[in-house]
Amino acid sequence: MELRSVEELMDLLYACRGARPAGPSGGAVDLHGHALRTAALLRRGRPADKELQVAGLVCPVGRLLWPGDPAGRTADAVRPLLGARVARLLRRHAQAGAALHDDDLLRLRQADEEARTAVFDAGVLEDWRTVLELVAARNARLGAVD
């Protein structure tokens, strides 16, 4: 599966509302709320890094579509739309012990972990549409040059 538009991605993110991850790490974490909190934490820490924020936002898509093996598939699904960096962050985020010296990956993991227990108003998904469109448009321009 490849995501071809921000609208498709938004639909999947909306579908995460009320969904819980499968398996022992699932628990009471709502994928939709977790995604919003992760992205909001990344926005607070790195306001100019839209790709990092988007990586935090789209992490749960794979857990919804492919409960047993989400990491690589999520990265492959979003790469055509959101670019190589977002895909790389998603792929490495799920790998235990992968590049802990990578500041971006470390921030993503910290935000992901903090978002599991943090309680704050992270806004609504629609607030992220413009950011997703900006990252997708930037990736489309870069892809046309490559």
PDB file of all heavy atoms in Angstrom, residues 94-108:
ATOM      1  N   ALA A  94      11.158   2.069  15.181  1.00  0.00           N
ATOM      2  CA  ALA A  94      10.683   0.774  15.669  1.00  0.00           C
ATOM      3  C   ALA A  94      11.813  -0.217  15.935  1.00  0.00           C
ATOM      4  O   ALA A  94      11.588  -1.245  16.565  1.00  0.00           O
ATOM      5  CB  ALA A  94       9.710   0.184  14.659  1.00  0.00           C
ATOM      6  N   GLN A  95      13.018   0.072  15.470  1.00  0.00           N
ATOM      7  CA  GLN A  95      14.137  -0.841  15.662  1.00  0.00           C
ATOM      8  C   GLN A  95      14.758  -0.609  17.036  1.00  0.00           C
ATOM      9  O   GLN A  95      15.244   0.484  17.324  1.00  0.00           O
ATOM     10  CB  GLN A  95      15.197  -0.639  14.578  1.00  0.00           C
ATOM     11  CG  GLN A  95      14.708  -0.966  13.199  1.00  0.00           C
ATOM     12  CD  GLN A  95      15.698  -0.542  12.126  1.00  0.00           C
ATOM     13  OE1 GLN A  95      16.613   0.222  12.366  1.00  0.00           O
ATOM     14  NE2 GLN A  95      15.493  -1.053  10.928  1.00  0.00           N
ATOM     15  N   ALA A  96      14.749  -1.622  17.856  1.00  0.00           N
ATOM     16  CA  ALA A  96      15.316  -1.499  19.202  1.00  0.00           C
ATOM     17  C   ALA A  96      16.809  -1.204  19.112  1.00  0.00           C
ATOM     18  O   ALA A  96      17.536  -1.866  18.390  1.00  0.00           O
ATOM     19  CB  ALA A  96      15.073  -2.784  19.976  1.00  0.00           C
ATOM     20  N   GLY A  97      17.231  -0.178  19.815  1.00  0.00           N
ATOM     21  CA  GLY A  97      18.640   0.166  19.873  1.00  0.00           C
ATOM     22  C   GLY A  97      19.209   0.837  18.638  1.00  0.00           C
ATOM     23  O   GLY A  97      20.407   1.044  18.547  1.00  0.00           O
ATOM     24  N   ALA A  98      18.376   1.188  17.685  1.00  0.00           N
ATOM     25  CA  ALA A  98      18.868   1.783  16.442  1.00  0.00           C
ATOM     26  C   ALA A  98      19.296   3.223  16.646  1.00  0.00           C
ATOM     27  O   ALA A  98      18.512   4.055  17.060  1.00  0.00           O
ATOM     28  CB  ALA A  98      17.797   1.708  15.352  1.00  0.00           C
ATOM     29  N   ALA A  99      20.544   3.489  16.389  1.00  0.00           N
ATOM     30  CA  ALA A  99      21.118   4.838  16.316  1.00  0.00           C
ATOM     31  C   ALA A  99      20.657   5.768  17.432  1.00  0.00           C
ATOM     32  O   ALA A  99      20.102   6.820  17.166  1.00  0.00           O
ATOM     33  CB  ALA A  99      20.820   5.447  14.954  1.00  0.00           C
ATOM     34  N   LEU A 100      20.913   5.385  18.648  1.00  0.00           N
ATOM     35  CA  LEU A 100      20.525   6.250  19.757  1.00  0.00           C
ATOM     36  C   LEU A 100      21.331   7.544  19.795  1.00  0.00           C
ATOM     37  O   LEU A 100      20.988   8.465  20.509  1.00  0.00           O
ATOM     38  CB  LEU A 100      20.646   5.500  21.086  1.00  0.00           C
ATOM     39  CG  LEU A 100      19.641   4.369  21.266  1.00  0.00           C
ATOM     40  CD1 LEU A 100      19.867   3.657  22.585  1.00  0.00           C
ATOM     41  CD2 LEU A 100      18.218   4.875  21.177  1.00  0.00           C
ATOM     42  N   HIS A 101      22.377   7.630  19.007  1.00  0.00           N
ATOM     43  CA  HIS A 101      23.136   8.877  18.917  1.00  0.00           C
ATOM     44  C   HIS A 101      22.490   9.856  17.934  1.00  0.00           C
ATOM     45  O   HIS A 101      22.894  10.996  17.843  1.00  0.00           O
ATOM     46  CB  HIS A 101      24.582   8.586  18.497  1.00  0.00           C
ATOM     47  CG  HIS A 101      24.679   7.917  17.168  1.00  0.00           C
ATOM     48  ND1 HIS A 101      24.507   6.564  17.014  1.00  0.00           N
ATOM     49  CD2 HIS A 101      24.877   8.422  15.935  1.00  0.00           C
ATOM     50  CE1 HIS A 101      24.621   6.263  15.726  1.00  0.00           C
ATOM     51  NE2 HIS A 101      24.841   7.363  15.056  1.00  0.00           N
ATOM     52  N   ASP A 102      21.482   9.401  17.213  1.00  0.00           N
ATOM     53  CA  ASP A 102      20.749  10.249  16.265  1.00  0.00           C
ATOM     54  C   ASP A 102      19.760  11.099  17.067  1.00  0.00           C
ATOM     55  O   ASP A 102      18.789  10.580  17.624  1.00  0.00           O
ATOM     56  CB  ASP A 102      20.017   9.368  15.251  1.00  0.00           C
ATOM     57  CG  ASP A 102      19.243  10.150  14.213  1.00  0.00           C
ATOM     58  OD1 ASP A 102      18.851  11.307  14.470  1.00  0.00           O
ATOM     59  OD2 ASP A 102      18.997   9.597  13.126  1.00  0.00           O
ATOM     60  N   ASP A 103      19.995  12.406  17.128  1.00  0.00           N
ATOM     61  CA  ASP A 103      19.180  13.302  17.947  1.00  0.00           C
ATOM     62  C   ASP A 103      17.710  13.287  17.526  1.00  0.00           C
ATOM     63  O   ASP A 103      16.821  13.288  18.375  1.00  0.00           O
ATOM     64  CB  ASP A 103      19.734  14.729  17.884  1.00  0.00           C
ATOM     65  CG  ASP A 103      19.001  15.666  18.817  1.00  0.00           C
ATOM     66  OD1 ASP A 103      18.914  15.338  20.027  1.00  0.00           O
ATOM     67  OD2 ASP A 103      18.509  16.714  18.353  1.00  0.00           O
ATOM     68  N   ASP A 104      17.452  13.262  16.224  1.00  0.00           N
ATOM     69  CA  ASP A 104      16.068  13.252  15.750  1.00  0.00           C
ATOM     70  C   ASP A 104      15.344  11.990  16.200  1.00  0.00           C
ATOM     71  O   ASP A 104      14.206  12.046  16.679  1.00  0.00           O
ATOM     72  CB  ASP A 104      16.012  13.346  14.222  1.00  0.00           C
ATOM     73  CG  ASP A 104      16.533  14.660  13.696  1.00  0.00           C
ATOM     74  OD1 ASP A 104      16.556  15.645  14.463  1.00  0.00           O
ATOM     75  OD2 ASP A 104      16.913  14.698  12.520  1.00  0.00           O
ATOM     76  N   LEU A 105      15.998  10.858  16.060  1.00  0.00           N
ATOM     77  CA  LEU A 105      15.400   9.593  16.462  1.00  0.00           C
ATOM     78  C   LEU A 105      15.186   9.547  17.976  1.00  0.00           C
ATOM     79  O   LEU A 105      14.143   9.093  18.452  1.00  0.00           O
ATOM     80  CB  LEU A 105      16.284   8.433  16.008  1.00  0.00           C
ATOM     81  CG  LEU A 105      15.730   7.035  16.180  1.00  0.00           C
ATOM     82  CD1 LEU A 105      14.395   6.875  15.463  1.00  0.00           C
ATOM     83  CD2 LEU A 105      16.730   6.020  15.662  1.00  0.00           C
ATOM     84  N   LEU A 106      16.141  10.056  18.716  1.00  0.00           N
ATOM     85  CA  LEU A 106      16.010  10.102  20.167  1.00  0.00           C
ATOM     86  C   LEU A 106      14.827  10.971  20.580  1.00  0.00           C
ATOM     87  O   LEU A 106      14.027  10.595  21.438  1.00  0.00           O
ATOM     88  CB  LEU A 106      17.304  10.623  20.793  1.00  0.00           C
ATOM     89  CG  LEU A 106      17.390  10.613  22.307  1.00  0.00           C
ATOM     90  CD1 LEU A 106      17.205   9.208  22.858  1.00  0.00           C
ATOM     91  CD2 LEU A 106      18.722  11.176  22.752  1.00  0.00           C
ATOM     92  N   ARG A 107      14.673  12.133  19.952  1.00  0.00           N
ATOM     93  CA  ARG A 107      13.534  13.016  20.254  1.00  0.00           C
ATOM     94  C   ARG A 107      12.204  12.345  19.908  1.00  0.00           C
ATOM     95  O   ARG A 107      11.228  12.472  20.645  1.00  0.00           O
ATOM     96  CB  ARG A 107      13.663  14.329  19.505  1.00  0.00           C
ATOM     97  CG  ARG A 107      14.688  15.262  20.093  1.00  0.00           C
ATOM     98  CD  ARG A 107      14.749  16.551  19.284  1.00  0.00           C
ATOM     99  NE  ARG A 107      15.795  17.418  19.755  1.00  0.00           N
ATOM    100  CZ  ARG A 107      15.600  18.404  20.623  1.00  0.00           C
ATOM    101  NH1 ARG A 107      14.408  18.629  21.100  1.00  0.00           N
ATOM    102  NH2 ARG A 107      16.608  19.163  20.999  1.00  0.00           N
ATOM    103  N   LEU A 108      12.171  11.646  18.780  1.00  0.00           N
ATOM    104  CA  LEU A 108      10.949  10.943  18.382  1.00  0.00           C
ATOM    105  C   LEU A 108      10.592   9.878  19.409  1.00  0.00           C
ATOM    106  O   LEU A 108       9.433   9.772  19.830  1.00  0.00           O
ATOM    107  CB  LEU A 108      11.127  10.328  16.990  1.00  0.00           C
ATOM    108  CG  LEU A 108       9.957   9.514  16.446  1.00  0.00           C
ATOM    109  CD1 LEU A 108       8.678  10.342  16.387  1.00  0.00           C
ATOM    110  CD2 LEU A 108      10.311   8.960  15.064  1.00  0.00           C
TER     111      LEU A 108
END
